[in-house]
Amino acid sequence: QVQLVESGGGLVQPGGSLRLSCAASGSIFSILSTGWYRQAPGKERELVAGINIVGSTNYADSVKGRFTISRDNAKNTVYLQMNSLKPEDTAVYYCNTHPPIVAHWGQGTQVTVSS
């Protein structure tokens, strides 16, 4: 059973940056497409960024130009660089395969954007 552990969240002011990491216990990122998802209070979980096995990326319109997803297969880690953060980016961020596998949802990492 692969485990995914997210880290790197925190409290940041509007306009600030954070880099999230997702470490996998196995080499799934090199064989499956991966996504970063987020869930804000009272809202459904949504995909914000995805990367496939050949490195092509896609982004939700709300984060295009601000967020960058990347992957290090040697470290079994996927990253999400978040710049120009806005209060509406506040959410718990999760990584998972894309499409997601229910058993792989982790605890997520909280991102709060506030002054």
Side-chain angles (χ1 to χ4, degrees):
Q1 179 78 1
V2 174
Q3 290 187 325
L4 304 175
V5 180
E6 302 91 347
S7 62
L11 173 64
V12 63
Q13 292 186 343
S17 298
L18 283 174
R19 188 195 195 202
L20 305 184
S21 299
C22 173
S25 58
S27 304
I28 66 168
F29 296 146
S30 60
I31 60 173
L32 294 173
S33 296
T34 307
W36 277 98
Y37 303 78
R38 69 185 180 188
Q39 186 167 21
K43 295 188 177 181
E44 293 187 355
R45 195 172 302 182
E46 62 172 348
L47 176 71
V48 295
I51 184 167
N52 66 15
I53 59 174
V54 297
S56 297
T57 58
N58 63 281
Y59 299 92
D61 288 343
S62 59
V63 307
K64 277 182 183 176
R66 301 188 297 121
F67 289 11
T68 303
I69 187 172
S70 61
R71 181 182 63 222
D72 187 332
N73 290 340
K75 296 182 178 180
N76 296 327
T77 302
V78 174
Y79 304 96
L80 185 67
Q81 178 67 43
M82 305 187 297
N83 299 327
S84 302
L85 283 162
K86 304 175 180 180
E88 51 263 43
D89 295 318
T90 295
V92 180
Y93 284 72
Y94 305 85
C95 67
N96 204 327
T97 54
H98 177 47
I101 297 173
V102 174
H104 287 171
W105 288 118
Q107 296 298 310
T109 185
Q110 175 71 48
V111 172
T112 302
V113 184
S114 175
S115 55

XYZ file of all heavy atoms in Angstrom:
862
model
N 0.835 -1.185 0.000
C 0.000 0.000 0.000
C 0.883 1.253 0.000
O 1.675 1.463 0.915
C -0.902 0.008 1.256
C -1.805 1.223 1.375
C -3.013 1.120 0.473
O -3.182 0.120 -0.237
N -3.853 2.130 0.483
N 0.755 2.052 -1.039
C 1.533 3.274 -1.134
C 0.958 4.330 -0.202
O -0.260 4.497 -0.119
C 1.534 3.799 -2.581
C 2.225 5.150 -2.661
C 2.220 2.793 -3.500
N 1.839 5.022 0.478
C 1.418 6.136 1.328
C 1.965 7.439 0.759
O 3.107 7.485 0.291
C 1.904 5.937 2.758
C 1.196 4.811 3.489
C 1.571 4.739 4.952
O 2.705 5.010 5.324
N 0.612 4.385 5.797
N 1.142 8.473 0.809
C 1.521 9.796 0.347
C 1.506 10.745 1.527
O 0.520 10.799 2.272
C 0.555 10.288 -0.731
C 0.393 9.386 -1.957
C -0.674 9.933 -2.893
C 1.708 9.216 -2.686
N 2.582 11.498 1.707
C 2.698 12.418 2.825
C 2.982 13.814 2.302
O 4.038 14.056 1.689
C 3.803 11.980 3.801
C 3.902 12.968 4.953
C 3.519 10.575 4.326
N 2.035 14.714 2.553
C 2.182 16.098 2.114
C 2.822 16.938 3.209
O 2.599 16.682 4.400
C 0.821 16.706 1.763
C 0.047 15.960 0.690
C -0.891 14.891 1.235
O -0.780 14.536 2.430
O -1.748 14.407 0.468
N 3.587 17.937 2.804
C 4.206 18.850 3.761
C 4.469 20.187 3.090
O 4.362 20.307 1.868
C 5.516 18.263 4.299
O 6.448 18.095 3.245
N 4.812 21.180 3.914
C 5.199 22.475 3.375
C 4.155 23.572 3.515
O 4.417 24.717 3.152
N 2.998 23.235 4.024
C 1.970 24.249 4.191
C 2.286 25.194 5.331
O 3.279 25.023 6.051
N 1.446 26.205 5.484
C 1.648 27.161 6.553
C 0.830 28.409 6.343
O -0.050 28.460 5.477
N 1.133 29.405 7.142
C 0.467 30.701 7.057
C 1.360 31.654 6.276
O 2.551 31.800 6.595
C 0.207 31.250 8.463
C -0.329 32.677 8.570
C -1.708 32.776 7.929
C -0.365 33.124 10.029
N 0.791 32.298 5.283
C 1.569 33.206 4.444
C 0.706 34.419 4.120
O -0.530 34.313 4.032
C 2.049 32.488 3.167
C 0.879 32.036 2.308
C 3.009 33.352 2.366
N 1.335 35.550 3.943
C 0.604 36.762 3.590
C 0.242 36.764 2.105
O 0.930 36.115 1.296
C 1.447 37.995 3.912
C 1.662 38.223 5.387
C 2.375 39.532 5.674
O 2.985 40.129 4.796
N 2.273 39.989 6.911
N -0.799 37.473 1.729
C -1.124 37.593 0.300
C 0.082 38.084 -0.487
O 0.804 38.976 -0.047
C -2.256 38.615 0.292
C -2.915 38.453 1.622
C -1.797 38.154 2.579
N 0.291 37.451 -1.634
C 1.448 37.776 -2.453
C 2.664 36.928 -2.158
O 3.644 36.968 -2.908
N 2.604 36.160 -1.093
C 3.729 35.327 -0.704
C 3.799 34.015 -1.466
O 2.988 33.756 -2.371
N 4.778 33.188 -1.096
C 5.017 31.917 -1.783
C 5.165 30.787 -0.774
O 5.586 31.000 0.363
C 6.298 31.997 -2.622
O 6.192 32.980 -3.627
N 4.830 29.604 -1.240
C 5.058 28.379 -0.496
C 5.412 27.283 -1.482
O 4.977 27.314 -2.642
C 3.816 27.945 0.294
C 3.476 28.677 1.582
C 2.127 28.192 2.111
C 4.559 28.480 2.630
N 6.154 26.305 -1.001
C 6.460 25.122 -1.818
C 5.996 23.892 -1.068
O 6.509 23.604 0.024
C 7.947 25.018 -2.103
C 8.317 23.922 -3.095
C 9.799 23.630 -3.071
N 10.246 22.860 -4.220
C 11.362 22.133 -4.216
N 12.124 22.091 -3.142
N 11.711 21.474 -5.307
N 5.043 23.207 -1.640
C 4.526 21.985 -1.044
C 5.286 20.777 -1.598
O 5.699 20.773 -2.754
C 3.043 21.826 -1.340
C 2.133 22.994 -0.944
C 0.672 22.624 -1.228
C 2.328 23.388 0.491
N 5.428 19.761 -0.754
C 6.057 18.508 -1.167
C 5.128 17.348 -0.877
O 4.369 17.380 0.098
C 7.379 18.295 -0.417
O 8.300 19.322 -0.675
N 5.208 16.345 -1.716
C 4.438 15.116 -1.513
C 5.386 13.950 -1.720
O 5.846 13.711 -2.846
C 3.281 15.050 -2.491
S 2.384 13.484 -2.443
N 5.672 13.250 -0.649
C 6.582 12.107 -0.701
C 5.791 10.809 -0.727
O 4.871 10.615 0.080
C 7.516 12.137 0.499
N 6.154 9.939 -1.657
C 5.486 8.643 -1.768
C 6.387 7.534 -1.231
O 7.608 7.620 -1.345
C 5.140 8.356 -3.227
N 5.763 6.521 -0.674
C 6.531 5.404 -0.121
C 6.960 4.431 -1.201
O 7.757 3.530 -0.944
C 5.707 4.673 0.942
O 4.497 4.199 0.383
N 6.426 4.624 -2.422
C 6.804 3.777 -3.545
C 6.945 4.608 -4.798
O 6.702 5.812 -4.801
N 7.341 3.960 -5.877
C 7.637 4.683 -7.125
C 6.413 4.831 -8.012
O 6.444 4.459 -9.189
C 8.744 3.939 -7.874
O 9.888 3.783 -7.083
N 5.360 5.411 -7.472
C 4.142 5.525 -8.276
C 4.169 6.732 -9.196
O 3.501 6.744 -10.224
C 2.872 5.578 -7.404
C 2.822 6.854 -6.557
C 2.766 4.351 -6.532
C 1.467 7.066 -5.908
N 4.909 7.757 -8.843
C 4.863 8.988 -9.624
C 5.468 8.822 -11.011
O 5.166 9.582 -11.923
C 5.565 10.123 -8.882
C 4.906 10.515 -7.595
C 5.652 10.938 -6.518
C 3.525 10.459 -7.461
C 5.046 11.308 -5.326
C 2.903 10.813 -6.277
C 3.668 11.242 -5.201
N 6.325 7.833 -11.187
C 6.950 7.621 -12.485
C 6.089 6.766 -13.406
O 6.370 6.662 -14.601
C 8.319 6.966 -12.319
O 8.181 5.718 -11.673
N 5.044 6.172 -12.849
C 4.204 5.285 -13.663
C 2.760 5.734 -13.743
O 1.975 5.187 -14.516
C 4.263 3.830 -13.158
C 3.768 3.738 -11.709
C 5.670 3.275 -13.288
C 3.652 2.305 -11.217
N 2.389 6.737 -12.935
C 1.017 7.229 -12.935
C 1.007 8.745 -12.960
O 1.882 9.390 -12.374
C 0.267 6.744 -11.689
C 0.016 5.242 -11.566
C -0.576 4.929 -10.199
C -0.903 4.753 -12.669
N 0.025 9.305 -13.625
C -0.146 10.750 -13.552
C -0.467 11.156 -12.117
O -1.079 10.384 -11.367
C -1.284 11.195 -14.477
O -0.964 10.928 -15.826
N -0.047 12.346 -11.751
C -0.171 12.816 -10.372
C -0.825 14.183 -10.350
O -0.628 14.987 -11.265
C 1.214 12.919 -9.729
O 1.889 11.669 -9.878
C 1.107 13.251 -8.254
N -1.555 14.434 -9.277
C -2.198 15.728 -9.152
C -2.091 16.299 -7.755
O -1.947 15.563 -6.782
N -2.135 17.610 -7.693
C -2.321 18.318 -6.433
C -3.771 18.784 -6.397
O -4.277 19.369 -7.365
C -1.389 19.522 -6.312
C -0.013 19.177 -5.826
C 1.105 18.991 -6.574
C 0.381 18.973 -4.469
N 2.169 18.692 -5.779
C 1.757 18.669 -4.465
C -0.287 19.022 -3.241
C 2.487 18.414 -3.304
C 0.421 18.764 -2.079
C 1.790 18.470 -2.119
N -4.413 18.528 -5.289
C -5.812 18.876 -5.100
C -5.905 19.787 -3.872
O -5.005 19.814 -3.034
C -6.656 17.620 -4.841
C -6.563 16.567 -5.917
C -5.466 15.710 -6.000
C -7.596 16.406 -6.850
C -5.383 14.740 -6.990
C -7.528 15.429 -7.830
C -6.416 14.599 -7.887
O -6.345 13.629 -8.865
N -7.030 20.485 -3.766
C -7.254 21.270 -2.569
C -8.732 21.267 -2.212
O -9.584 21.087 -3.077
C -6.761 22.702 -2.737
C -7.556 23.550 -3.706
C -6.889 24.917 -3.876
N -7.632 25.773 -4.814
C -7.190 26.947 -5.253
N -5.991 27.407 -4.843
N -7.917 27.651 -6.089
N -8.973 21.456 -0.929
C -10.347 21.525 -0.444
C -10.452 22.664 0.551
O -9.812 22.624 1.609
C -10.792 20.213 0.194
C -12.257 20.197 0.565
C -12.763 18.799 0.898
O -11.994 17.903 1.232
N -14.062 18.610 0.795
N -11.239 23.649 0.198
C -11.494 24.783 1.080
C -12.730 24.481 1.926
O -13.567 23.655 1.537
C -11.709 26.042 0.261
N -12.855 25.131 3.071
C -14.025 24.888 3.942
C -15.335 25.092 3.187
O -15.527 26.104 2.512
C -13.855 25.929 5.045
C -12.392 26.180 5.104
C -11.922 26.091 3.679
N -16.207 24.100 3.285
C -17.514 24.208 2.653
C -17.525 23.971 1.162
O -18.569 24.116 0.520
N -16.377 23.602 0.594
C -16.288 23.386 -0.848
C -15.828 21.970 -1.153
O -15.249 21.292 -0.308
C -15.340 24.399 -1.486
C -15.818 25.836 -1.392
C -14.925 26.755 -2.202
C -15.433 28.177 -2.179
N -14.580 29.096 -2.994
N -16.067 21.547 -2.389
C -15.619 20.235 -2.801
C -14.124 20.263 -3.112
O -13.553 21.296 -3.447
C -16.402 19.782 -4.041
C -17.881 19.524 -3.775
C -18.578 18.914 -4.973
O -17.938 18.786 -6.029
O -19.771 18.558 -4.844
N -13.516 19.083 -3.000
C -12.114 18.967 -3.371
C -11.966 19.176 -4.869
O -12.768 18.675 -5.661
C -11.592 17.596 -2.970
C -10.104 17.445 -2.972
C -9.681 16.119 -2.365
N -10.161 15.973 -0.996
C -9.901 14.922 -0.228
N -9.177 13.936 -0.689
N -10.370 14.854 0.997
N -10.944 19.929 -5.267
C -10.738 20.221 -6.676
C -9.287 19.975 -7.066
O -8.374 20.121 -6.259
C -11.099 21.681 -6.981
C -10.267 22.706 -6.244
C -10.511 24.132 -6.694
O -11.157 24.338 -7.738
O -10.045 25.050 -5.990
N -9.100 19.635 -8.332
C -7.762 19.476 -8.880
C -7.203 20.847 -9.223
O -7.864 21.619 -9.917
C -7.806 18.599 -10.133
C -6.488 18.414 -10.877
C -5.545 17.528 -10.089
C -6.745 17.822 -12.266
N -6.016 21.148 -8.760
C -5.404 22.436 -9.099
C -4.245 22.283 -10.080
O -3.974 23.202 -10.848
C -4.931 23.212 -7.855
C -6.114 23.609 -6.992
C -3.941 22.415 -7.036
N -3.569 21.147 -10.062
C -2.450 20.951 -10.983
C -2.219 19.466 -11.193
O -2.395 18.672 -10.269
C -1.181 21.599 -10.429
N -1.825 19.107 -12.396
C -1.544 17.712 -12.703
C -0.288 17.593 -13.548
O 0.082 18.522 -14.270
N 0.368 16.444 -13.437
C 1.547 16.165 -14.254
C 1.487 14.702 -14.667
O 1.247 13.821 -13.852
C 2.848 16.500 -13.482
C 4.072 16.296 -14.376
C 2.964 15.693 -12.197
C 5.347 16.897 -13.785
N 1.681 14.436 -15.968
C 1.604 13.046 -16.410
C 2.994 12.418 -16.442
O 3.993 13.062 -16.096
C 0.871 12.935 -17.743
C 1.619 13.587 -18.892
O 2.812 13.891 -18.793
N 0.917 13.793 -19.990
N 3.062 11.173 -16.898
C 4.316 10.442 -16.772
C 5.408 10.968 -17.713
O 6.583 10.704 -17.486
C 4.106 8.931 -16.988
C 3.514 8.646 -18.366
C 3.213 8.362 -15.882
C 3.434 7.169 -18.683
N 5.027 11.730 -18.727
C 6.051 12.308 -19.607
C 6.346 13.757 -19.247
O 7.131 14.416 -19.922
C 5.655 12.202 -21.095
C 5.546 10.737 -21.498
C 4.365 12.957 -21.389
N 5.718 14.235 -18.186
C 6.028 15.573 -17.690
C 5.134 16.695 -18.168
O 5.368 17.849 -17.813
N 4.118 16.374 -18.944
C 3.184 17.417 -19.354
C 2.323 17.832 -18.177
O 1.919 16.991 -17.369
C 2.289 16.907 -20.489
O 3.069 16.604 -21.623
N 2.067 19.116 -18.078
C 1.350 19.645 -16.927
C 0.044 20.325 -17.339
O -0.118 20.753 -18.485
C 2.208 20.662 -16.161
O 2.575 21.731 -17.047
C 3.477 20.007 -15.617
N -0.866 20.408 -16.393
C -2.102 21.151 -16.604
C -2.500 21.796 -15.290
O -2.142 21.304 -14.212
C -3.223 20.259 -17.134
C -3.616 19.170 -16.169
O -2.946 18.161 -16.051
N -4.714 19.376 -15.442
N -3.215 22.915 -15.385
C -3.547 23.708 -14.211
C -4.985 24.185 -14.272
O -5.531 24.444 -15.346
C -2.631 24.928 -14.113
C -1.177 24.581 -13.983
C -0.359 24.470 -15.101
C -0.615 24.335 -12.727
C 0.965 24.123 -14.997
C 0.721 23.987 -12.609
C 1.502 23.884 -13.747
O 2.820 23.536 -13.618
N -5.580 24.329 -13.100
C -6.873 24.981 -13.021
C -6.693 26.443 -13.419
O -5.642 27.039 -13.169
C -7.417 24.888 -11.607
N -7.714 27.006 -14.028
C -7.623 28.393 -14.473
C -7.277 29.343 -13.333
O -6.575 30.335 -13.519
C -8.947 28.832 -15.122
C -9.164 28.184 -16.478
O -8.191 27.660 -17.058
O -10.319 28.196 -16.957
N -7.757 29.020 -12.146
C -7.573 29.912 -11.006
C -6.124 30.004 -10.540
O -5.765 30.934 -9.816
C -8.454 29.454 -9.839
O -8.130 28.133 -9.468
N -5.278 29.057 -10.952
C -3.889 29.061 -10.486
C -2.883 29.177 -11.622
O -1.677 29.258 -11.372
C -3.572 27.804 -9.639
C -4.581 27.656 -8.508
C -3.514 26.557 -10.498
N -3.348 29.199 -12.866
C -2.436 29.295 -14.007
C -1.557 30.528 -13.897
O -2.018 31.623 -13.592
C -3.236 29.350 -15.307
C -3.655 28.004 -15.830
C -4.409 28.136 -17.154
C -4.885 26.785 -17.637
N -5.692 26.900 -18.870
N -0.267 30.317 -14.140
C 0.683 31.424 -14.076
C 1.212 31.692 -12.679
O 2.150 32.473 -12.512
N 0.609 31.058 -11.677
C 1.054 31.267 -10.289
C 1.610 29.993 -9.659
O 2.526 30.068 -8.839
C -0.109 31.785 -9.439
C -0.707 33.092 -9.920
C -1.714 33.650 -8.928
N -2.866 32.773 -8.731
C -3.224 32.251 -7.562
N -2.504 32.511 -6.471
N -4.296 31.490 -7.472
N 1.054 28.859 -10.017
C 1.470 27.576 -9.435
C 2.244 26.771 -10.475
O 1.948 26.820 -11.674
C 0.264 26.755 -9.004
C -0.474 27.279 -7.804
C -0.231 28.538 -7.278
C -1.442 26.497 -7.184
C -0.924 29.011 -6.172
C -2.143 26.943 -6.086
C -1.886 28.207 -5.585
N 3.217 25.991 -9.987
C 3.981 25.100 -10.858
C 4.124 23.750 -10.192
O 4.610 23.660 -9.056
C 5.376 25.685 -11.149
O 5.246 26.983 -11.730
C 6.135 24.777 -12.108
N 3.719 22.706 -10.900
C 3.879 21.350 -10.408
C 5.125 20.745 -11.034
O 5.424 20.977 -12.206
C 2.622 20.494 -10.713
C 2.713 19.122 -10.045
C 2.391 20.371 -12.206
C 1.425 18.297 -10.133
N 5.861 19.979 -10.237
C 7.048 19.307 -10.741
C 7.230 17.985 -10.013
O 6.564 17.732 -9.001
C 8.296 20.191 -10.590
O 8.537 20.482 -9.226
N 8.143 17.174 -10.533
C 8.299 15.828 -9.979
C 9.772 15.435 -9.990
O 10.502 15.758 -10.919
C 7.484 14.853 -10.836
C 7.509 13.409 -10.396
C 6.704 12.553 -11.364
N 7.305 12.580 -12.698
C 6.597 12.676 -13.817
N 5.283 12.785 -13.777
N 7.202 12.683 -14.985
N 10.191 14.757 -8.945
C 11.538 14.178 -8.870
C 11.368 12.682 -8.689
O 11.117 12.211 -7.575
C 12.316 14.804 -7.713
C 13.770 14.360 -7.696
O 14.067 13.244 -8.175
O 14.609 15.116 -7.186
N 11.482 11.939 -9.781
C 11.255 10.491 -9.704
C 12.264 9.793 -8.804
O 11.932 8.823 -8.126
C 11.300 9.873 -11.102
C 10.111 10.268 -11.957
O 9.078 10.686 -11.431
N 10.250 10.153 -13.254
N 13.482 10.276 -8.777
C 14.509 9.648 -7.950
C 14.173 9.744 -6.466
O 14.555 8.869 -5.677
C 15.862 10.286 -8.224
N 13.463 10.804 -6.095
C 13.086 11.002 -4.690
C 11.647 10.600 -4.418
O 11.165 10.762 -3.289
C 13.294 12.467 -4.298
C 14.742 12.927 -4.342
C 14.871 14.376 -3.887
C 16.327 14.825 -3.886
N 16.469 16.240 -3.448
N 10.956 10.100 -5.450
C 9.531 9.752 -5.287
C 8.751 10.909 -4.674
O 7.938 10.731 -3.753
C 9.365 8.498 -4.416
C 9.962 7.265 -5.053
O 9.964 7.119 -6.270
N 10.488 6.373 -4.232
N 8.995 12.100 -5.176
C 8.405 13.312 -4.611
C 7.838 14.202 -5.716
O 8.451 14.345 -6.773
C 9.445 14.090 -3.787
O 9.948 13.241 -2.746
C 8.823 15.331 -3.144
N 6.685 14.762 -5.425
C 6.058 15.744 -6.303
C 5.963 17.060 -5.537
O 5.703 17.060 -4.324
C 4.661 15.281 -6.748
C 3.959 16.370 -7.548
C 4.769 14.025 -7.590
N 6.174 18.147 -6.252
C 6.185 19.465 -5.620
C 5.097 20.347 -6.220
O 4.666 20.149 -7.360
C 7.538 20.144 -5.826
C 8.708 19.341 -5.336
C 9.447 18.539 -6.206
C 9.084 19.369 -3.989
C 10.517 17.787 -5.763
C 10.156 18.625 -3.532
C 10.874 17.837 -4.434
O 11.934 17.098 -3.976
N 4.698 21.338 -5.435
C 3.818 22.382 -5.947
C 4.383 23.725 -5.465
O 4.323 24.027 -4.265
C 2.377 22.211 -5.468
C 1.379 23.198 -6.071
C 1.210 22.923 -7.571
C 0.026 23.116 -5.364
N 4.952 24.456 -6.391
C 5.437 25.798 -6.082
C 4.284 26.767 -6.272
O 3.692 26.840 -7.348
C 6.599 26.172 -7.009
C 7.131 27.575 -6.803
C 7.804 27.764 -5.460
O 8.566 26.907 -5.024
N 7.517 28.878 -4.795
N 3.976 27.503 -5.229
C 2.839 28.416 -5.254
C 3.346 29.837 -5.026
O 3.919 30.131 -3.971
C 1.821 28.036 -4.173
C 1.359 26.587 -4.257
S 0.026 26.203 -3.104
C 0.870 26.477 -1.551
N 3.143 30.675 -6.007
C 3.560 32.074 -5.927
C 2.343 32.985 -6.003
O 1.260 32.567 -6.411
C 4.530 32.402 -7.071
C 5.795 31.576 -7.031
O 6.291 31.214 -5.961
N 6.343 31.272 -8.198
N 2.539 34.227 -5.625
C 1.467 35.233 -5.688
C 0.195 34.705 -5.043
O -0.897 34.802 -5.623
C 1.208 35.628 -7.147
O 2.378 36.134 -7.746
N 0.344 34.162 -3.866
C -0.791 33.533 -3.193
C -1.869 34.545 -2.846
O -1.586 35.711 -2.513
C -0.324 32.803 -1.944
C 0.350 31.445 -2.245
C 1.181 30.974 -1.063
C -0.704 30.403 -2.596
N -3.106 34.074 -2.912
C -4.275 34.895 -2.640
C -5.074 34.285 -1.497
O -4.979 33.056 -1.266
C -5.169 34.965 -3.878
C -4.482 35.472 -5.131
C -5.419 35.392 -6.326
C -4.744 35.887 -7.605
N -5.656 35.814 -8.775
N -5.866 35.064 -0.797
C -6.691 34.503 0.277
C -7.562 33.343 -0.203
O -7.795 32.392 0.565
C -7.533 35.700 0.721
C -6.666 36.888 0.438
C -5.960 36.541 -0.837
N -8.020 33.396 -1.433
C -8.868 32.313 -1.944
C -8.098 31.026 -2.206
O -8.697 29.999 -2.541
C -9.606 32.753 -3.214
C -8.720 33.353 -4.281
C -8.710 34.874 -4.242
O -8.623 35.449 -3.122
O -8.764 35.487 -5.333
N -6.784 31.045 -2.065
C -5.999 29.810 -2.156
C -5.985 29.053 -0.828
O -5.451 27.935 -0.767
C -4.554 30.124 -2.557
C -4.442 30.713 -3.953
O -5.144 30.218 -4.859
O -3.644 31.658 -4.130
N -6.546 29.642 0.201
C -6.600 28.979 1.499
C -7.384 27.679 1.402
O -8.534 27.666 0.940
C -7.246 29.909 2.542
O -6.407 31.049 2.729
C -7.440 29.185 3.865
N -6.754 26.588 1.825
C -7.364 25.264 1.714
C -6.408 24.227 2.289
O -5.252 24.543 2.596
C -7.659 24.924 0.252
N -6.909 23.022 2.420
C -6.030 21.881 2.685
C -5.630 21.308 1.329
O -6.491 21.046 0.486
C -6.721 20.809 3.545
C -5.774 19.636 3.785
C -7.177 21.402 4.872
N -4.347 21.128 1.143
C -3.813 20.653 -0.132
C -3.397 19.193 0.000
O -2.737 18.801 0.984
C -2.627 21.512 -0.555
C -3.042 22.854 -1.106
C -3.538 23.843 -0.255
C -2.960 23.136 -2.466
C -3.948 25.067 -0.756
C -3.362 24.365 -2.985
C -3.852 25.322 -2.119
O -4.253 26.546 -2.616
N -3.773 18.413 -0.993
C -3.488 16.987 -1.027
C -2.822 16.626 -2.352
O -3.068 17.266 -3.371
C -4.774 16.166 -0.947
C -5.682 16.447 0.225
C -6.613 17.478 0.183
C -5.630 15.656 1.363
C -7.459 17.725 1.244
C -6.474 15.883 2.436
C -7.393 16.930 2.364
O -8.236 17.166 3.426
N -2.044 15.561 -2.336
C -1.585 14.983 -3.589
C -2.196 13.596 -3.722
O -2.582 12.960 -2.751
C -0.070 14.921 -3.669
S 0.691 13.781 -2.512
N -2.289 13.145 -4.952
C -2.819 11.827 -5.243
C -2.532 11.563 -6.706
O -2.073 12.430 -7.442
C -4.326 11.771 -4.981
C -4.833 10.361 -4.713
O -4.320 9.387 -5.270
N -5.819 10.244 -3.854
N -2.799 10.363 -7.138
C -2.730 10.096 -8.561
C -3.860 10.872 -9.247
O -4.754 11.409 -8.608
C -2.874 8.603 -8.832
O -4.078 8.143 -8.206
C -1.691 7.829 -8.256
N -3.793 10.895 -10.580
C -4.831 11.592 -11.334
C -5.256 10.684 -12.477
O -4.455 10.460 -13.398
C -4.313 12.928 -11.853
C -5.298 13.664 -12.689
N -6.610 13.842 -12.334
C -5.174 14.254 -13.905
C -7.250 14.503 -13.256
N -6.398 14.774 -14.233
N -6.466 10.141 -12.412
C -7.493 10.390 -11.401
C -7.114 9.804 -10.045
O -6.256 8.926 -9.981
C -8.728 9.688 -11.975
C -8.180 8.630 -12.864
C -6.942 9.232 -13.468
N -7.718 10.317 -8.987
C -7.305 9.915 -7.637
C -7.734 8.494 -7.273
O -8.757 7.995 -7.741
C -8.005 10.933 -6.730
C -9.209 11.359 -7.504
C -8.782 11.347 -8.943
N -6.920 7.880 -6.443
C -7.225 6.580 -5.858
C -7.624 6.828 -4.413
O -6.849 7.403 -3.644
C -6.008 5.636 -5.947
C -5.656 5.370 -7.423
C -6.298 4.327 -5.222
C -4.385 4.589 -7.622
N -8.814 6.410 -4.064
C -9.370 6.738 -2.752
C -8.425 6.341 -1.621
O -8.207 7.088 -0.670
C -10.744 6.072 -2.566
C -11.250 6.287 -1.139
C -11.736 6.637 -3.573
N -7.832 5.176 -1.731
C -6.982 4.662 -0.650
C -5.707 5.474 -0.473
O -5.012 5.317 0.533
C -6.630 3.208 -0.922
N -5.399 6.349 -1.417
C -4.145 7.100 -1.350
C -4.300 8.494 -0.759
O -3.308 9.197 -0.610
C -3.535 7.230 -2.751
C -2.944 5.964 -3.272
N -2.515 5.808 -4.563
C -2.733 4.771 -2.664
C -2.061 4.583 -4.729
N -2.195 3.930 -3.596
N -5.506 8.884 -0.411
C -5.654 10.210 0.198
C -4.909 10.250 1.526
O -5.085 9.377 2.374
C -7.114 10.558 0.438
C -7.901 10.861 -0.799
C -8.982 10.177 -1.276
C -7.676 11.929 -1.740
N -9.432 10.745 -2.435
C -8.658 11.820 -2.750
C -6.742 12.957 -1.825
C -8.729 12.705 -3.831
C -6.818 13.842 -2.893
C -7.794 13.712 -3.876
N -4.077 11.282 1.701
C -3.353 11.461 2.945
C -4.027 12.503 3.813
O -5.198 12.838 3.615
N -3.277 13.030 4.765
C -3.824 14.019 5.694
C -3.858 15.414 5.086
O -4.581 16.286 5.556
C -2.993 14.045 6.978
C -3.040 12.756 7.764
C -4.457 12.432 8.227
O -5.148 13.269 8.797
N -4.906 11.211 7.968
N -3.066 15.622 4.066
C -3.012 16.940 3.459
C -2.155 17.897 4.270
O -1.681 17.578 5.369
N -1.973 19.084 3.709
C -1.227 20.128 4.404
C -2.005 21.431 4.271
O -2.457 21.790 3.187
C 0.211 20.249 3.853
O 0.949 21.197 4.621
C 0.243 20.644 2.379
N -2.167 22.123 5.388
C -2.991 23.334 5.419
C -2.207 24.517 4.887
O -1.082 24.776 5.323
C -3.448 23.622 6.858
C -4.208 24.923 7.028
C -5.591 24.873 6.408
O -6.341 23.917 6.621
N -5.957 25.910 5.655
N -2.827 25.235 3.983
C -2.290 26.500 3.474
C -3.277 27.596 3.828
O -4.454 27.511 3.470
C -2.063 26.448 1.953
C -1.695 27.827 1.422
C -0.986 25.438 1.613
N -2.797 28.590 4.535
C -3.639 29.718 4.914
C -2.990 31.003 4.418
O -1.834 31.285 4.742
C -3.826 29.794 6.432
O -4.395 28.561 6.902
C -4.743 30.945 6.816
N -3.735 31.735 3.616
C -3.237 32.997 3.065
C -4.032 34.126 3.703
O -5.224 34.284 3.449
C -3.378 33.038 1.538
C -2.745 34.324 0.993
C -2.740 31.813 0.903
N -3.362 34.863 4.544
C -4.054 35.912 5.295
C -3.053 36.955 5.757
O -1.893 36.633 6.042
C -4.768 35.304 6.507
O -5.343 36.314 7.307
N -3.532 38.194 5.842
C -2.684 39.259 6.372
C -2.916 39.427 7.870
O -2.289 40.280 8.493
C -2.963 40.561 5.632
O -4.341 40.881 5.687
